Amino acid sequence: MTTLHAHFDGRVFVPDEPVNIPKNTPVKIQVQETVASEVSYGAVEVDPRSGLPIFKVPPGTKTITFEDIQRDLDEP
């Protein structure tokens, strides 16, 4: 049995990580609601106040801004 973390978008269940199951494979899904602080994002921590993932980067990592991306798109 495989445990998948997913969320309900109001219409369908959407996996929160890649799923290695062939398309159209029948599966049985049992739903257990979790609170955000119980959700695992692998090595990523979750902020207990907001329930959002906390992404940590090594010191000195270059920050890429919207302006950087726009400049790259504008260059021929």
Side-chain angles (χ1 to χ4, degrees):
M1 181 166 80
T2 302
T3 300
L4 301 173
H5 293 279
H7 62 276
F8 185 65
D9 72 0
R11 189 166 158 245
V12 298
F13 289 97
V14 180
D16 292 334
E17 61 259 346
V19 179
N20 190 19
I21 299 174
K23 187 175 179 179
N24 297 321
T25 299
V27 297
K28 179 180 181 179
I29 298 175
Q30 294 180 323
V31 177
Q32 176 184 350
E33 290 186 44
T34 58
V35 293
S37 62
E38 294 175 348
V39 177
S40 169
Y41 290 94
V44 178
E45 294 179 45
V46 175
D47 183 327
R49 294 166 294 166
S50 67
L52 297 173
I54 301 170
F55 296 98
K56 295 184 179 181
V57 296
T61 302
K62 181 183 182 323
T63 302
I64 299 173
T65 65
F66 173 78
E67 289 79 15
D68 295 328
I69 296 169
Q70 188 64 51
R71 184 177 50 252
D72 289 346
L73 290 173
D74 291 341
E75 291 178 0

